[in-house]
Amino acid sequence: MAADGRLVFAAYGKVFSAFARNKEIVHTFKGHKAEIRLLQPFGDHVISVDTDSVLIIWHIYSEEEYLQLTFDKSVFQISTILHPSTYLNKILLGSEQGSLQLWNVKSNKLLYTFPGWKVGVTALQQAPAVDVVAIGLMSGQVVIHNIKFDETLMKFRQDWGPITSISFRTDGHPVMAAGSPCGHIGLWDLEDKKLINQMRNAHSTAIAGLTFLHREPLLVTNGADNALRIWIFDGPAGEGRLLRFRMGHSAALTKIRYYGQNGQQILSASQDGTLQSFSTVHEKFNKSLGHGLVNKKIVKRKGLQNTMSVRLPPITKFAAEEARQSDWDGIIACHQGKLSCTTWNYQRSTIGAYFLKPKELKTDDIIATAVDITSCGNFAVIGLSSGAVDVYNMQSGIHRGRFGDDKAHAGSVRGVAVDGLNQMTVTAGSERLLKFWNFKSKVLIHSVSLDSSPNMMLLHRDSGILGLALDDFSITVLDIETRKIVREFSGHQGQINDMTFSPDGRWLISAAMDCSVRTWDLPSGCLIDCFLLDSAPLNVTMSPTGDFLATSHVDHLGIYLWSNVSLYSVVSLRPLPPDYVPSVVMLPGTCQTPGTDVLDEQIEPSDEMVEYESPEQLSEQLVTLSLLPESRWKNLLNLDVIKKKNKPKEPPKVPQAAPFFIPTVPGLVPRFAVPEQNGDPQQSKVVNLGILAQKSNFYLKLEEGLLNNQYEAALNLLKELGPSGIETELRNLSPDDGGSVDVMQGFLKMIRMMLDRKRDFELAQAYLALFLKFSVIIRESQVLLFVHFCLLQSKHSLPSVSSNLAQLAFWMNEIEMRFVGPLWWCNVLKIYTSKCCLQSQCC
């Protein structure tokens, strides 16, 4: 990599590219026939050198080749490159043979050859003084050389191997820093020509690069341990202390799991022995829980700088629960080849105080193979290779029991899990047995025989679904309540490395050594998604919010995030056909491929992905309600009460406004005109609109419906009105308010039409009840029509018929229609005897 003030250059293979804003590829340079190993920005040009010692100068913006120089590898193998300050059009090349060459690239001439020190050159760095260059050698020497007069000013030597990088302080202190392959940094005083400080174990691996920031006491270092650190030199002795850092794992990951319920932290364990937490929001929230130490107190007491001898082996499996993380440790982990399990504290970001292991076991042949922690955070369950399963208290570290008399399984324990209520514990053994235990009494409840030895086990506590990955590359799903196998999946062609459930327990996602990631739908028991990767996935975990899937892979140090497409677009969840061939997908990256847009990466719609549109009515035999909110129809009968409650105690008083021009009485003497007073204070100001009222649209549509027997238009108008508007329209149907009896009959026919179609059922009930409440006139024909309507309604709802008939009786009594006696009512019912199955209830 190399950078100037505008672009960042990165070489990969035989090609290198220029990045703008660290995410957009703006230029790509192709032309080398070997792998590129050196890059050097040079004004509007950039210089690249490959392993065959071919040097090419490129014009950045046109991407054209400006100059090409070829060197003989056996004589001058280029190992480093530098543009000396104030040396126009000149570059200094160092070689593995030890000699150096100064070239003028504009005239393509070799200006001078430095014989060197018969040792390969590994680093070149411009000193703050002009014409002075620091040269790092394979022997560990740093030579401060004046290239103008070809004379050596001073020499320094480090015993840590070849010099990997050099940098000078530019904030007024004559200090030079030199890196080494073992992770140490030496600080040299250029005035006194002596070593003033050593930064041991600045990185756990070789120092790849170090740079002092311009005019700042800050040193930026990076190494092969996948760490970037900033050191500040503010101490009296000139020593540097760690200011801030960004780091990842330096070896392959062994296990990853989401921590907490917000889906923002991922816990990861690695072969480098560390346990770290990565944030999916921002890198500044990342933190390292450190290495596991055999005895942390001895390390603190003796002040050991090199803790490699007391570090624990890598973590192979862990379980975490945040329920009591503020009170005591909430993470339990087992280590490679170790019997004891360690506890970790997430809030303090350190290893815990307890090493959990059975006291009676002293042999080194038995190791911990499976761990789990209860949902309450109080107990840890540990399975051993001997078949024993023990329970420990997380707060005190005390052994709290063992499942079975001596051993829970005859073979090694492959998995342990505890349900959400601490009632049942499930263990899986290599002897093909799955056992269910009572958590409190440690008594065996039930055992299930498996077709093959289990490889791993995973429990979804909310749904009680247990997933088992077997050695025959199949997956078995059980219900822990019924203790029966409910699903079996097959399709993987390699060992299943990890599994995870979706938050709702609907999907089971598995990752295997056949480089595939498969998503199984548990309700349907089918495979709904499958894709292949270039590198086999080792771990997979899904966020508690269901928006991301995190994976780790062979020969990769990072954690890769996959977004759940079903959350923001239409995705077909139909079962994949048996002959489905999965496609190979690239791992997620921070830079998109040129010519593609993230927004355009949508799945093409197919016939299977057409959105379902619900019909207006599912069946003619079913009663269908309207889509109107309840506020449109539920309070129609109580509008008078609502208006009475909302009525103000007194009308608002409008102040008397004086006219702009005050009127005067005509005459010789000017006098203001007195406004006329109303002589009749009892005169009503309410205008009777019964004579002046015009027919509304709803009224006109009802009249049209009487002629063509079509009432849909009138019903649609009524649906658009609010409660007050509906009340006004129904009041105006009365002859006293400008309506007519024929239009009232038309309204009843509209209600009959609604019930015949069995649609808008609740609207029909509300409109009819309000209509009966407001009606003031009744005739025999109207009674017959209404009774006919009620009897037709009997096939829909008995309570509606009864309530409407009761409303009719109340209505007739209110308007003093005493002439309708019981005898006449029975005659009316006899007319509809053949249609009414509710004669006795109606009577």
Side-chain angles (χ1 to χ4, degrees):
M1 291 182 62
D4 59 9
R6 296 159 295 179
L7 300 173
V8 176
F9 302 93
Y12 45 100
K14 304 176 183 179
V15 183
F16 73 97
S17 298
F19 291 78
R21 295 175 295 277
N22 292 339
K23 61 180 180 179
E24 180 184 359
I25 298 178
V26 292
H27 301 290
T28 301
F29 304 89
K30 300 179 181 179
H32 282 281
K33 297 181 180 179
E35 183 177 348
I36 299 173
R37 60 178 298 183
L38 295 173
L39 289 174
Q40 175 66 46
F42 195 68
D44 291 338
H45 299 76
V46 60
I47 303 173
S48 59
V49 182
D50 60 21
T51 55
D52 291 339
S53 286
V54 176
L55 184 147
I56 302 178
I57 302 177
W58 309 82
H59 192 275
I60 295 178
Y61 301 104
S62 64
E63 301 180 10
E64 295 178 354
E65 184 178 315
Y66 174 77
L67 177 65
Q68 179 171 333
L69 298 175
T70 303
F71 296 84
D72 187 359
K73 293 195 299 182
S74 60
V75 178
F76 194 87
Q77 173 74 40
I78 301 176
S79 60
T80 181
I81 184 173
L82 173 68
H83 169 51
S85 178
T86 71
Y87 280 59
L88 187 64
N89 300 326
K90 298 175 181 64
I91 58 174
L92 182 64
L93 303 176
S95 68
E96 294 182 358
Q97 287 78 12
S99 61
L100 294 92
Q101 295 182 2
L102 184 65
W103 281 79
N104 188 320
V105 295
K106 185 175 183 180
S107 61
N108 192 12
K109 290 183 180 180
L110 175 62
L111 301 180
Y112 191 79
T113 300
F114 301 90
W117 296 265
K118 303 183 185 302
V119 182
V121 178
T122 58
L124 288 175
Q125 180 62 38
Q126 174 69 49
V130 181
D131 302 328
V132 179
V133 173
I135 304 171
L137 304 178
M138 285 287 296
S139 60
Q141 276 189 331
V142 180
V143 180
I144 308 298
H145 196 77
N146 189 312
I147 60 175
K148 183 176 181 179
F149 301 104
D150 189 13
E151 63 180 31
T152 300
L153 303 180
M154 59 188 77
K155 289 184 180 181
F156 304 100
R157 183 179 184 87
Q158 295 182 172
D159 297 332
W160 300 325
I163 302 299
T164 58
S165 55
I166 304 172
S167 183
F168 292 89
R169 286 184 68 172
T170 57
D171 60 339
H173 296 269
V175 176
M176 179 188 69
S180 65
C182 56
H184 305 328
I185 299 175
L187 299 176
W188 300 87
D189 191 322
L190 300 179
E191 289 185 351
D192 298 337
K193 300 181 182 180
K194 65 178 183 180
L195 181 68
I196 59 173
N197 214 321
Q198 299 180 25
M199 299 172 59
R200 289 185 173 270
N201 299 315
H203 290 268
S204 59
T205 56
I207 303 294
L210 54 85
T211 303
F212 277 104
L213 298 186
H214 186 60
R215 297 187 179 277
E216 294 285 344
L218 299 176
L219 177 65
V220 182
T221 63
N222 74 303
D225 57 352
N226 197 16
L228 182 69
R229 292 183 170 92
I230 298 180
W231 310 82
I232 183 170
F233 293 84
D234 55 357
E239 71 276 6
R241 63 178 179 88
L242 185 62
L243 181 63
R244 57 176 61 94
F245 64 93
R246 295 280 187 268
M247 64 178 298
H249 289 290
S250 59
L253 278 68
T254 58
K255 183 133 182 120
I256 62 172
R257 281 293 179 265
Y258 268 94
Y259 182 78
Q261 297 300 319
N262 56 6
Q264 295 181 358
Q265 290 87 26
I266 301 177
L267 277 177
S268 64
S270 169
Q271 289 287 348
D272 59 8
T274 61
L275 182 64
Q276 299 190 28
S277 172
F278 293 93
S279 172
T280 59
V281 178
H282 197 274
E283 288 185 354
K284 66 181 180 181
F285 300 115
N286 295 354
K287 63 179 182 179
S288 174
L289 278 70
H291 289 82
L293 301 177
V294 175
N295 195 323
K296 188 168 60 174
K297 295 181 179 179
I298 294 179
V299 174
K300 285 186 176 181
R301 185 168 63 250
K302 293 185 177 182
L304 296 177
Q305 295 294 331
N306 188 4
T307 59
M308 297 295 294
S309 58
V310 294
R311 288 182 178 177
L312 288 171
I315 295 174
T316 56
K317 294 182 180 179
F318 66 84
E321 183 61 50
E322 65 171 356
R324 304 301 294 270
Q325 65 173 359
S326 58
D327 300 325
W328 51 75
D329 301 337
I331 303 173
I332 178 73
C334 60
H335 297 259
Q336 181 178 348
K338 298 288 287 186
L339 172 62
S340 59
C341 294
T342 56
T343 61
W344 299 73
N345 192 289
Y346 184 83
Q347 282 194 345
R348 295 199 306 267
S349 302
T350 182
I351 190 172
Y354 301 116
F355 290 83
L356 307 180
K357 66 176 182 179
K359 293 183 179 180
E360 65 273 10
L361 295 178
K362 301 297 183 180
T363 177
D364 295 335
D365 298 335
I366 302 176
I367 62 174
T369 56
V371 292
D372 194 20
I373 188 170
T374 58
S375 58
C376 60
N378 289 313
F379 300 99
V381 183
I382 301 175
L384 306 180
S385 59
S386 62
V389 179
D390 298 292
V391 180
Y392 297 87
N393 186 283
M394 289 293 293
Q395 181 182 9
S396 60
I398 300 176
H399 185 266
R400 291 301 187 187
R402 173 173 292 181
F403 292 96
D405 296 333
D406 184 29
K407 295 181 180 180
H409 291 273
S412 174
V413 178
R414 297 288 179 85
V416 293
V418 184
D419 66 348
L421 300 176
N422 294 1
Q423 299 295 320
M424 184 186 302
T425 303
V426 187
T427 61
S430 59
E431 75 280 8
R432 302 184 181 183
L433 282 180
L434 184 70
K435 295 186 178 182
F436 298 85
W437 308 81
N438 186 290
F439 181 78
K440 294 182 179 179
S441 63
K442 312 294 187 297
V443 176
L444 179 65
I445 301 175
H446 185 70
S447 63
V448 177
S449 179
L450 303 174
D451 297 334
S452 179
S453 297
N455 180 32
M456 66 163 298
M457 185 174 68
L458 182 66
L459 174 65
H460 187 262
R461 285 174 173 167
D462 294 340
S463 62
I465 297 298
L466 183 73
L468 284 167
L470 306 182
D471 286 342
D472 60 356
F473 312 151
S474 64
I475 298 175
T476 301
V477 181
L478 295 93
D479 184 1
I480 64 172
E481 295 296 332
T482 60
R483 307 181 190 96
K484 294 182 179 180
I485 298 177
V486 294
R487 293 289 185 272
E488 290 183 347
F489 302 119
S490 61
H492 282 292
Q493 303 299 321
Q495 176 185 340
I496 300 174
N497 295 326
D498 201 2
M499 299 185 300
T500 183
F501 284 99
S502 61
D504 56 0
R506 185 180 182 88
W507 296 346
L508 176 63
I509 303 172
S510 58
M513 289 301 295
D514 58 0
C515 297
S516 67
V517 177
R518 299 173 183 260
T519 303
W520 311 89
D521 188 68
L522 296 180
S524 62
C526 299
L527 176 68
I528 60 174
D529 186 32
C530 177
F531 60 90
L532 297 177
L533 299 165
D534 294 331
S535 180
L538 291 177
N539 297 279
V540 60
T541 177
M542 196 166 191
S543 64
T545 54
D547 50 356
F548 290 112
L549 179 74
T551 60
S552 66
H553 302 267
V554 175
D555 298 331
H556 287 75
L557 303 181
I559 298 174
Y560 295 87
L561 290 182
W562 307 78
S563 60
N564 188 355
V565 186
S566 64
L567 295 181
Y568 53 84
S569 65
V570 180
V571 180
S572 174
L573 296 179
R574 299 207 173 183
L576 298 178
D579 57 348
Y580 176 76
V581 179
S583 59
V584 180
V585 181
M586 291 183 61
L587 290 175
T590 57
C591 183
Q592 61 191 27
T593 306
T596 61
D597 191 356
V598 177
L599 298 178
D600 296 336
E601 293 181 0
Q602 300 295 337
I603 301 177
E604 297 181 359
S606 61
D607 296 338
E608 298 179 353
M609 297 170 54
V610 177
E611 293 188 20
Y612 174 77
E613 295 182 0
S614 177
E616 294 184 1
Q617 190 172 14
L618 296 178
S619 173
E620 295 181 356
Q621 304 300 323
L622 300 177
V623 171
T624 304
L625 305 181
S626 68
L627 297 178
L628 295 181
E630 291 184 351
S631 59
R632 294 281 192 91
W633 55 268
K634 194 171 185 179
N635 297 319
L636 286 177
L637 289 178
N638 303 321
L639 278 179
D640 51 349
V641 180
I642 296 175
K643 289 182 178 180
K644 188 175 181 180
K645 288 183 178 180
N646 296 337
K647 184 179 180 181
K649 296 182 179 179
E650 58 181 10
K653 296 180 179 179
V654 181
Q656 251 183 344
F660 186 78
F661 296 103
I662 301 178
T664 58
V665 177
L668 296 177
V669 181
R671 288 183 300 168
F672 296 109
V674 180
E676 297 182 0
Q677 298 293 334
N678 191 359
D680 187 8
Q682 300 298 327
Q683 183 178 358
S684 174
K685 295 182 180 180
V686 179
V687 181
N688 186 7
L689 298 179
I691 303 174
L692 303 177
Q694 295 182 352
K695 296 180 179 179
S696 65
N697 292 334
F698 175 69
Y699 192 96
L700 296 175
K701 294 298 181 181
L702 285 179
E703 288 183 338
E704 293 178 6
L706 291 173
L707 299 177
N708 55 18
N709 201 25
Q710 299 292 331
Y711 296 97
E712 287 82 1
L715 178 60
N716 292 334
L717 286 175
L718 207 58
K719 285 183 179 180
E720 297 176 357
L721 300 177
S724 299
I726 296 173
E727 181 189 22
T728 304
E729 292 290 352
L730 296 190
R731 282 185 185 275
N732 293 339
L733 297 182
S734 173
D736 291 348
D737 292 325
S740 66
V741 175
D742 294 335
V743 177
M744 296 174 69
Q745 292 179 352
F747 177 81
L748 291 176
K749 290 181 180 179
M750 182 189 73
I751 299 296
R752 175 182 173 182
M753 178 267 298
M754 295 170 65
L755 292 175
D756 286 341
R757 296 190 308 176
K758 299 182 182 179
R759 292 171 57 180
D760 303 322
F761 191 73
E762 79 279 20
L763 294 184
Q765 299 296 325
Y767 294 162
L768 180 59
L770 187 63
F771 173 79
L772 295 179
K773 181 178 179 181
F774 290 155
S775 298
V776 255
I777 187 169
I778 187 168
R779 295 182 181 178
E780 184 175 341
S781 60
Q782 291 173 272
V783 174
L784 291 176
L785 176 63
F786 180 74
V787 172
H788 176 62
F789 157 74
C790 290
L791 296 178
L792 284 178
Q793 194 182 3
S794 64
K795 56 186 177 181
H796 302 299
S797 173
L798 175 60
S800 300
V801 176
S802 304
S803 60
N804 283 332
L805 288 177
Q807 182 76 20
L808 176 63
F810 171 78
W811 175 43
M812 291 188 301
N813 290 332
E814 284 293 321
I815 61 175
E816 298 181 355
M817 296 298 295
R818 306 297 183 186
F819 65 91
V820 182
L823 181 61
W824 181 88
W825 183 257
C826 292
N827 291 333
V828 171
L829 288 178
K830 287 178 182 178
I831 300 174
Y832 298 95
T833 302
S834 60
K835 298 181 181 179
C836 182
C837 61
L838 305 170
Q839 181 175 354
S840 59
Q841 289 90 335
C842 294
C843 290

